[in-house]
Amino acid sequence: MKKKCFMLVAAVLFSLQITGCGAINLTTQEKNVIAEYIANILLKHDKTYEPTFQYELEEEIVEEPEQKPAEKPLKDKKEDEESIKKESTTNSSKNNEEKQKYVAMSTIYKNNLKLSSSGYSFYKTYPQKVNAILPIEASSGKTICIVNLKLKNSSASSKKINFLKDNRYSYQLEVDSKKTYRALQSLLIDDIQYLDIELKSGKSHQAMIAFEIPEKAKKKPLKLLVTKGSNTAALKLK
């Protein structure tokens, strides 16, 4: 039977070569497949024939083209960039707040003295009284910010206060948590920097302090910073 199969295959190959179709280059595996296929067709009715060759065709591996992620529209790109910038700005503000740690105002003003604010106002000239002695005048593009303060004695005894002699306190106005401005030197009676009074138990005294800031800063959040030594306390102004 094997001999018959071999003769059949040889006949087929020989017939292909003489048909004028040109030379056919076949691999050994392809020749075996053709031989087995033809033998199966010709001898399928022969009960004594059993296929002897088992084969597997090599599958051709086709690489799929790499799919690139869809490019975002220009609008989405701009939104992503703005989101990153906002996040960066927020983180920067948080870092600045963490770096600048404030102490309680009671650490600055001890002996049961309490400082609070009763608001602030803006002026081109202060005070606005006619014939005022040595008024404060704002320069071009600037405004005078007067911060109204209240100093209270919460102790059970009178307190002698002389900030003119005890000049360890310094005052700054912080604008929008970014820039600070030093207090102006004035000859106003109620300027807290030169306060010299005796404050009785449970009583309060109205004081003030002046700053010169840009006109455009008038609508920004303001904060009064009071420093004594290495400690700084912050008072939000409303």
Side-chain angles (χ1 to χ4, degrees):
M1 185 59 64
K2 290 183 181 180
K3 186 175 181 181
K4 291 180 181 180
C5 180
F6 176 80
M7 293 176 66
L8 286 170
V9 173
V12 171
L13 292 176
F14 178 76
S15 64
L16 288 173
Q17 290 179 354
I18 64 175
T19 55
C21 297
I24 300 176
N25 295 321
L26 300 176
T27 65
T28 302
Q29 184 184 22
E30 288 171 339
K31 292 177 181 178
N32 291 334
V33 170
I34 293 172
E36 181 71 17
Y37 178 74
I38 295 173
N40 285 339
I41 292 175
L42 297 177
L43 303 175
K44 63 181 179 179
H45 299 294
D46 189 344
K47 296 181 180 180
T48 62
Y49 173 73
E50 290 183 2
T52 58
F53 178 71
Q54 301 294 330
Y55 60 88
E56 290 183 0
L57 288 175
E58 295 182 357
E59 295 183 359
E60 182 180 1
I61 299 175
V62 180
E63 293 185 1
E64 295 183 358
E66 184 180 354
Q67 294 183 353
K68 296 182 179 180
E71 188 172 350
K72 290 185 177 181
L74 183 60
K75 182 180 178 182
D76 292 345
K77 284 185 177 180
K78 289 183 177 179
E79 289 178 354
D80 290 345
E81 289 176 359
E82 290 176 359
S83 177
I84 293 172
K85 287 181 180 178
K86 287 181 181 179
E87 185 178 354
S88 177
T89 303
T90 303
N91 292 336
S92 178
S93 299
K94 288 181 179 180
N95 291 336
N96 290 336
E97 289 178 2
E98 290 175 359
K99 289 179 182 178
Q100 181 67 62
K101 292 184 178 179
Y102 299 117
V103 299
M105 194 63 73
S106 58
T107 304
I108 306 297
Y109 295 100
K110 298 181 179 180
N111 301 322
N112 293 315
L113 285 176
K114 294 184 178 180
L115 182 71
S116 60
S117 171
S118 54
Y120 57 91
S121 303
F122 301 102
Y123 304 90
K124 274 296 181 182
T125 301
Y126 185 87
Q128 294 181 313
K129 296 178 182 179
V130 178
N131 299 324
I133 300 174
L134 297 175
I136 304 173
E137 294 186 0
S139 53
S140 177
K142 302 289 184 68
T143 185
I144 301 298
C145 178
I146 300 296
V147 180
N148 301 310
L149 301 170
K150 183 173 73 171
L151 192 65
K152 183 177 181 179
N153 179 10
S154 299
S155 68
S157 59
S158 296
K159 297 291 181 183
K160 177 64 178 176
I161 299 172
N162 189 346
F163 291 147
L164 178 60
K165 183 178 179 181
D166 187 3
N167 57 1
R168 294 175 296 169
Y169 302 89
S170 64
Y171 302 84
Q172 292 180 308
L173 188 66
E174 184 182 83
V175 178
D176 200 22
S177 299
K178 294 178 180 178
K179 195 167 183 180
T180 57
Y181 300 86
R182 292 182 179 180
L184 297 175
Q185 304 295 317
S186 75
L187 296 177
L188 301 174
I189 297 175
D190 293 328
D191 193 326
I192 195 171
Q193 298 175 96
Y194 314 111
L195 205 59
D196 184 8
I197 60 172
E198 184 174 350
L199 194 57
K200 293 182 179 180
S201 174
K203 298 296 181 179
S204 298
H205 182 83
Q206 298 296 326
M208 50 73 61
I209 193 165
F211 300 90
E212 186 181 52
I213 63 174
E215 279 278 359
K216 61 183 180 180
K218 291 170 66 173
K219 294 183 179 181
K220 303 290 185 179
L222 301 178
K223 189 183 295 181
L224 178 66
L225 305 181
V226 185
T227 302
K228 182 182 179 183
S230 59
N231 294 321
T232 299
L235 184 63
K236 290 184 179 180
L237 303 179
K238 299 179 180 179

